[in-house]
Amino acid sequence: MDERVESILIPRTQIAARIREMGQQITREIGPLVGGPEAGPLVMMPVLTGAMVFAADLIRHIPVQMTIEPVTVSSYPGKATSSQGASIEGGVPADLGGKHVLVVDDILDSGRTLGLLRRVIEAQRPASVRIAVLLAKEKAEGRDEEVVADYAGFEIEDNFVVGYGLDYDGYYRNLPDIGVLRDPGPPSSTPTSPAQGHAS
Ligand code: 5GP
Ligand code: MG
């Protein structure tokens, strides 16, 4: 683990076990609704870039007919560690009417990202919209936008975490565990620069 990572909050084995359980629950609850000629496949909508690792593991525990429609939402530009207001880049797919949609994100924090996505998706009158997040931060003062995740892997304290897809300034997404940074900054050895203009 990188020396800037102060402590491991959730080790990879625990993440894997929890994602398996989440996949089984989602399969039980959504599986019977999708796949027929009327409902069509489940539309899995991972929020790039943070949810890509979680979504990649989760979908392999959901053996139902599905399509994958990633969306890009920016909320933590550059070195910010709190949401600066969310915006969807390039919109969401336009054919969600009548479909069952599962939005998959890495972490629920202020609620702005998932609140915005839910509103934009619901405007198309889908059959259902559900939300799955790996992490949900406890907010003593409440969220900026009230969003409840239908499926949440772990409730965590309100600290900035990295790893398992979650970044700080584009770095640390490839850490296999979820950890807390000692002090914000790039990893201690940085062989390559991250891409410019990354999304949360
Ligand atoms: P929200 O819009 O709910 O404030 O935040 C959602 C997005 O912000 C997440 O998809 C995630 O990319 C980013 N985010 C929120 N909290 C954290 C955190 O503790 N660490 C990292 N790396 N990203 C976070
Ligand atoms: Mg991020």
Side-chain angles (χ1 to χ4, degrees), residues 5-7 16 26-27 34 39 44 97 111-112 120 150 165:
V5 177
E6 183 176 279
S7 59
I26 290 166
T27 304
V34 300
M44 288 283 282
R112 290 184 191 170
V120 169
D150 301 275

Side-chain angles (χ1 to χ4, degrees), residues 6 10-11 13 17 23 37 39 42 44 53 56 60-61 64 74 87 90 96 98 124 132 160 164 166 168 173 175 198:
E6 183 176 279
I10 312 174
T13 49
L42 170 62
M44 288 283 282
V53 180
R60 285 174 284 174
H61 294 291
V64 308
S74 287
S87 66
L96 301 175
Q124 292 189 38
F160 193 78
Y164 200 77
L166 291 135
Y168 172 73
R173 295 195 198 274
L175 298 180
H198 74 280

Side-chain angles (χ1 to χ4, degrees), residues 76-163:
Y76 280 38
K79 296 179 178 166
T81 55
S82 66
S83 177
Q84 310 291 300
S87 66
I88 303 174
E89 292 172 18
V92 300
D95 56 351
L96 301 175
K99 303 228 176 106
H100 292 280
V101 180
L102 181 64
V103 181
V104 180
D105 205 357
D106 49 5
I107 186 166
L108 174 58
D109 182 16
S110 72
R112 290 184 191 170
T113 300
L114 289 166
L116 173 67
L117 268 174
R118 186 190 272 282
R119 274 181 276 121
V120 169
I121 294 165
E122 276 174 350
Q124 292 189 38
R125 302 191 161 275
S128 70
V129 186
R130 290 179 175 81
I131 291 174
V133 293
L134 181 60
L135 308 171
K137 278 191 192 172
E138 286 164 8
K139 294 294 214 191
E141 318 252 294
R143 305 192 194 284
D144 294 349
E145 184 162 350
E146 192 47 48
V147 172
V148 178
D150 301 275
Y151 307 98
F154 302 92
E155 296 268 335
I156 64 168
E157 284 176 29
D158 195 1
N159 291 321
F160 193 78
V161 293
V162 296

